[in-house]
Amino acid sequence: MRLKSVAAATVLTAATVLPTALTFALAPSAVANNSGGRLVASVSPTTVAPGGRVGLNVEGCGTRTGTARSSAFGTVNLAPGNLEATNLFGSATVHRNASPGTHTVTFQCDGLGGRTTTVSLHVTPGAARGGLGGSMGQVSPGEIAIGGALVAGALGAGVWYLRRRTEAGT
């Protein structure tokens, strides 16, 4: 009976490792709507260290060009994310000498009216990792491979054990 509970615990642990790892890999993003509710902008991650990169996205411009501007990284030209130009995207590297604190990111659509909206970007004084609050450093490809092999091994062992038990019972 003890082997059955150990195998079940192994399978359950392996089944929870992958979704948990994927949850930590996803960075949070800031989203803002303008007063008309049709222009939606986002910066991802919302917290970054000097020298880090952020993704920029704005939806609802209706134009094929636009910009994102901030004291944290300067001005970035945005490009269409799809053929209909329903969203514009780009990326920026935060200046290495950017001051810690909250910086405003202003998205502007080109064309008539030049609609704008803003979101906040937080620059940390140290090496922050988006989504983990600085609690984890870089993960090397070797570490990812080892983790994947351990998960696959645990799942394989659980399947082997359950099949062996089923065959022995018949």
Side-chain angles (χ1 to χ4, degrees):
M1 190 62 156
R2 177 159 160 53
L3 281 176
K4 181 179 179 183
S5 63
V6 170
T10 302
V11 171
L12 287 174
T13 301
T16 58
V17 168
L18 185 59
T20 303
L22 289 175
T23 299
F24 283 124
L26 300 175
S29 64
V31 178
N33 292 331
N34 72 345
S35 59
R38 291 173 285 181
L39 195 61
V40 179
S42 65
V43 175
S44 180
T46 58
T47 302
V48 66
R53 290 191 62 80
V54 293
L56 307 164
N57 187 49
V58 63
E59 296 181 35
C61 275
T63 63
R64 298 195 57 78
T65 58
T67 58
R69 184 179 65 252
S70 175
S71 59
F73 53 76
T75 301
V76 175
N77 291 322
L78 303 175
N82 55 31
L83 295 175
E84 296 82 30
T86 55
N87 73 317
L88 302 174
F89 73 96
S91 64
T93 301
V94 175
H95 298 307
R96 293 217 175 265
N97 61 351
S99 60
T102 301
H103 294 260
T104 300
V105 179
T106 302
F107 290 85
Q108 181 169 0
C109 302
D110 292 342
L112 297 175
R115 296 185 307 152
T116 63
T117 189
T118 60
V119 295
S120 295
L121 172 65
H122 305 283
V123 176
T124 62
R129 302 295 300 167
L132 297 176
S135 64
M136 186 173 151
Q138 294 284 0
V139 179
S140 72
E143 290 172 321
I144 293 171
I146 289 170
L150 290 172
V151 170
L155 288 172
V159 169
W160 174 80
Y161 175 78
L162 293 174
R163 285 193 57 141
R164 182 172 170 251
R165 187 169 183 271
T166 302
E167 289 173 1
T170 16

